Amino acid sequence: MPTTIAARERLRPVRRTRTTNARRRESFTAFGMATPAVVLLIVFLVVPVALAFTLAFTDAKLVSPTPARFVGLRNFTLLFQDPTFYKSLRNTAYFAAVVVPLQAGLALVLALLVNAKVRGINFFRTVYFLPVVTSMVVVSLLWTFLYRKDGLVNHVISTLTLGHVEGPDWLGDPATAMPAIILMSVWQGVGFHMIIWLAGLQTIPAELYEAADLDGATRWHRFRHVTWPGLRATRTFVLVTITIAALSLFTQIRVMTQGGPLDSTTTVVYQAVHTGYDQQQTAYAAAVSLIFFVLVLSVSLVQRFLTREKD
């Protein structure tokens, strides 16, 4: 018996050494696998944010023979005195206020429709999702032709009204330019969030619906008391992603209207890119980008707070 105890005591340091070596190998392996992602985050996220923060307090230009100088808050002072900036803020808020509920609601309706177990439903899922896999530049160019004065949209309007109504110049009129872009953006992005809603719907246990049917619940009551509570996490994700995408509106504006007419479609991101690259005012564009970062962060935090799970 004492011999056995002594042998166990001798084996304990060996086992500890092996366990320590195994943990070290696992740590090195995990570090090696995480290194590429960490490097990419640093290069494409941390460094640009730090650079933008630094440039916002200088007079740097994209191409200039003189080095950048520290100017303090001058760029922000000029920014808050710029009427174009306030127009871009209003346009961005208008776009987000319309697109977020409209796209989220329409995507949920489509998800409820394609969630039904009927024959051929995969065809409709594919059709609804098809615009998502198409490049936004291509979609914007296509809809630019559709919105022309002699385009397909006005031709359909004229045909349906027997020639009594002629469609406007959708992208050339300040009153219709942003609504036209909103319609196109919702059409292009609704399929992606339909898939997100659909994934959430399929995580709701079927037993809850069976219990609701046994209680004689109507479709509305099933949706209100079973479906909607079961989509709590999904709707938070959908609202946050749609809001961030809406606030960062750029490609459609760049391709379709270039901010016009009369700055009616200029957004914060478009103003930052236009100022930084077209006008070569890098420091001023960095100030716009910082304001946009604070705006998106604030809206996302408020949304997260309002949609949090309450005890």
Side-chain angles (χ1 to χ4, degrees):
M1 188 68 177
T3 305
T4 305
I5 295 176
R8 290 178 180 177
E9 291 296 332
R10 288 194 299 270
L11 288 175
R12 282 181 181 178
V14 178
R15 290 175 179 174
R16 290 175 182 174
T17 303
R18 291 178 179 176
T19 302
T20 302
N21 293 335
R23 289 178 178 176
R24 287 178 179 176
R25 286 195 298 269
E26 291 178 357
S27 299
F28 282 122
T29 303
F31 179 77
M33 296 179 67
T35 297
V38 173
V39 171
L40 290 176
L41 284 174
I42 293 175
V43 173
F44 292 103
L45 181 63
V46 177
V47 172
V49 170
L51 185 61
F53 184 84
T54 303
L55 290 176
F57 298 94
T58 67
D59 62 349
K61 295 179 174 56
L62 187 63
V63 179
S64 176
T66 59
R69 295 181 297 107
F70 179 77
V71 295
L73 298 175
R74 189 180 72 178
N75 290 319
F76 295 95
T77 302
L78 295 175
L79 180 63
F80 289 117
Q81 296 175 350
D82 186 0
T84 303
F85 175 68
Y86 290 101
K87 284 185 178 180
S88 67
L89 279 178
R90 287 195 298 268
N91 293 334
T92 302
Y94 169 46
F95 182 85
V98 176
V99 167
V100 172
L102 182 60
Q103 185 167 314
L106 183 57
L108 178 57
V109 171
L110 293 178
L112 291 171
L113 292 176
V114 301
N115 193 42
K117 297 180 180 180
V118 296
R119 189 174 182 180
I121 200 65
N122 289 332
F123 169 77
F124 292 99
R125 293 180 182 179
T126 303
V127 170
Y128 295 149
F129 190 75
L130 190 60
V132 179
V133 299
T134 306
S135 169
M136 179 58 78
V137 175
V138 175
V139 172
S140 299
L141 288 173
L142 174 64
W143 281 77
T144 300
F145 288 106
L146 294 178
Y147 280 139
R148 289 175 57 178
K149 185 68 176 177
D150 56 348
L152 180 61
V153 173
N154 285 343
H155 179 72
V156 171
I157 294 175
S158 179
T159 301
L160 293 177
T161 60
L162 302 178
H164 295 290
V165 177
E166 292 185 2
D169 184 6
W170 294 95
L171 299 179
D173 188 344
T176 58
M178 185 59 80
I181 293 177
I182 288 174
L183 177 62
M184 184 273 292
S185 300
V186 170
W187 173 84
Q188 194 273 339
V190 71
F192 173 76
H193 294 96
M194 176 200 71
I195 296 298
I196 303 300
W197 283 120
L198 183 61
L201 289 172
Q202 294 181 350
T203 61
I204 300 176
E207 294 79 5
L208 296 179
Y209 290 107
E210 294 175 359
D213 290 336
L214 292 175
D215 290 339
T218 62
R219 289 187 177 181
W220 167 246
H221 287 96
R222 287 177 57 188
F223 175 81
R224 180 181 177 184
H225 298 289
V226 178
T227 304
W228 189 244
L231 294 173
R232 181 187 300 272
T234 304
R235 67 173 178 259
T236 300
F237 176 79
V238 168
L239 288 176
V240 171
T241 53
I242 294 180
T243 301
I244 293 176
L247 294 177
S248 58
L249 173 66
F250 170 74
T251 305
Q252 301 94 304
I253 305 301
R254 185 73 171 184
V255 175
M256 301 177 71
T257 63
Q258 293 79 47
L262 302 177
D263 293 325
S264 61
T265 59
T266 298
T267 61
V268 177
V269 176
Y270 178 80
Q271 183 185 11
V273 176
H274 176 68
T275 303
Y277 289 95
D278 298 339
Q279 299 179 356
Q280 299 187 5
Q281 301 292 329
T282 307
Y284 191 79
V288 177
S289 299
L290 282 183
I291 297 298
F292 172 72
F293 172 76
V294 174
L295 173 66
V296 173
L297 181 62
S298 302
V299 172
S300 299
L301 291 177
V302 170
Q303 279 190 332
R304 187 68 185 90
F305 175 76
L306 295 177
T307 57
R308 73 192 189 282
E309 294 187 13
K310 300 179 181 180
D311 297 331

